[in-house]
Structure formats: structure tokens, C-alpha cells
Amino acid sequence: MGHGVDYDTISIKSPEDVAKLRVAGSIAAKVLEEISSHVRPGVTTNEINAIAHSLIVDKYGAEIDREDLSGYDASQYASISIAHNDVAFSGEPTDAPLRIGDLFGVDVSLKKDGWCGDTQRMWIVGDETSSEARLLNAVGYQAMCLGISLVQPGAKIQDIAERVQTYVESFGFSMLRVPSGTGHSTGQVHADGWLIPYYKDPRNEGRVLEKGMVITVEPFICAGSGEGKRLDTPTRPAVTADGSLAVYWEHVVAVTDNGCEVLDLRKGEDVTFHSR
């Protein structure tokens, strides 16, 4: 993995560090807000990628940060990570148009003044889709909200992950298991320490949250078996092995005195968890 990071450790960020992450997060959130009107039938993912690049680099003066958790940098091929139906993340931009009913997502990862922003949202293209796809997308969002609601000092990562997994599986969906498909701590490097699967996993054992830790909450879920794979193409897309639909939503959160702060909340967004 890249940057000589020790993935068995996690740093505590100072209030000044969190402020810088908040700036980066606010830019990432604004990019998603401004992309939203362009996500419609007939628009290509190449066009979405170009719009995102212009916003990140030209409008907001930030850097593209497309290194995945394995250390692979896809920034020469894409400025964003694309999710599209069975492509869970790192999809390659193409000239194929979006279609009504598609599940489509954009993960914006950037750096501003050396600090990382990293957030993802999904869209239902054309606002029409199957009942299964609509439910999967809603459960994906609420799985993230549940994870956020559980982040506080003293919380055990494994407990949070198991709660999220139980919630997702209660709808008959699966946690997607694929290389780089986990949450992570973040700071001046995209993944600067812990890797955090949002399902029961040995990597989560013994890890307890403390004030000042900054992590992503991003449960990857799918409608099929949960088995995934990475393709050997330039952006190394992660796909479901059985072709089933996959979704994820993501926010960066900083652990506070008695809970957490979402550092990249979009305008009007509500991350309250609703169990049903």
C-alpha cells in the first residue's frame, strides 16, 4: 500500500487539523451538489467526469486524489470514482449514456491545502427504477446513517460494523466484500491508518474510537451474494461477481466529545437514522 502508511495505527487530529479537513470536505460536498443537475438520462460518464474535474481543479483550486486503498493511483484515467449498477466503485468513464433506472454514484476524493476530502452519493437516473433498486439505495443510505449515529468516543469499531451488517442483511441484502471496499481513517493521506470494513471482520477487533479520530463511514452493499472482484482495466473497477446491483454512500466524520461531526454534509442533507 502507498505512502508507507501503517494500517494498524490511527492518528488523533487536532482541532486545527479537523478544521482543514472540514474545508476539504465542504468542497467535496459542493462538487457533488453541482454535479447533481447533470446526472440525467443521455449524459455520459465521460461528461460527468469532465464536469467534476473542472469543478475540483478550476473552480475550487483543489487537487484530484484518486489513490485507492491498495495504493493504486487512477487519476490519469478518471477524476472521480464511478459507481454504476453492478460497478460498486472505480468505474471507468465512458461515452455510454446514462439510462432511466440506472443506479449511479460519484465518489469525490480531493486534496485542499494538503488535506483530504472524500464523499460519495448515489442517484436514481431519471428518478424511476425497480422497487428492488430503490430499496437497495435507501438501505445503503440508512446503513451509512446508522454507522454515523454510532460513532462516539469509546465505541468499538467491530460493534458498529456488526450493527450495520445486521441492518443491511435484515432486508435480504449483503455486505459487499471486495479489495479496497472498506472505510478508512483519513487526513493528509486518503487512507492514513485503519481500514474499516462495515461488517464483522478481524481487522476491526480491538479498535476503539477516541475524540479526534477522523474516519469514513461507507458501507458497501449489494443485492446479490456479496462476493466482489476488481477488473484489470485502467481504473480497476470493483464489480459484484454475480452482476447484482451495488450501492454505497459515504461521509467523513470527526469523533467529538460525545458523538461525531460530519465534515462534508451537503446543503439540506439529513443523516438521521430511521430504522424502518
Side-chain angles (χ1 to χ4, degrees), residues 76-158:
Q76 64 179 309
Y77 307 110
S79 296
I80 52 176
S81 172
I82 290 171
H84 195 184
N85 295 329
D86 65 321
V87 179
F89 58 89
S90 295
E92 190 166 348
T94 72
D95 288 326
L98 296 176
R99 299 176 299 176
I100 292 175
D102 283 351
L103 292 180
F104 178 72
V106 169
D107 185 325
V108 174
S109 297
L110 54 79
K111 283 187 178 180
K112 181 66 174 178
D113 298 327
W115 293 84
C116 296
D118 184 15
T119 186
Q120 150 99 3
R121 68 153 293 178
M122 302 291 302
W123 292 266
I124 295 172
V125 179
D127 295 323
E128 298 177 26
T129 195
S130 67
S131 57
E132 179 188 55
R134 190 173 298 277
L135 179 61
L136 180 71
N137 191 45
V139 171
Y141 186 76
Q142 283 297 304
M144 177 194 68
C145 293
L146 172 58
I148 291 170
S149 75
L150 298 171
V151 171
Q152 60 181 355
K156 298 177 181 179
I157 293 289
Q158 191 75 294

Side-chain angles (χ1 to χ4, degrees), residues 146-208:
L146 172 58
I148 291 170
S149 75
L150 298 171
V151 171
Q152 60 181 355
K156 298 177 181 179
I157 293 289
Q158 191 75 294
D159 290 348
I160 295 173
E162 290 188 45
R163 287 277 300 276
V164 169
Q165 180 177 359
T166 297
Y167 172 75
V168 169
E169 292 177 349
S170 74
F171 290 89
F173 299 133
S174 301
M175 308 307 298
L176 181 63
R177 292 166 170 83
V178 63
S180 293
T182 70
H184 51 89
S185 62
T186 192
Q188 292 181 284
V189 176
H190 179 77
D192 72 348
W194 287 356
L195 303 181
I196 305 171
Y198 281 93
Y199 48 83
K200 187 175 182 180
D201 187 277
R203 288 171 288 184
N204 294 329
E205 286 294 343
R207 294 180 169 177
V208 179

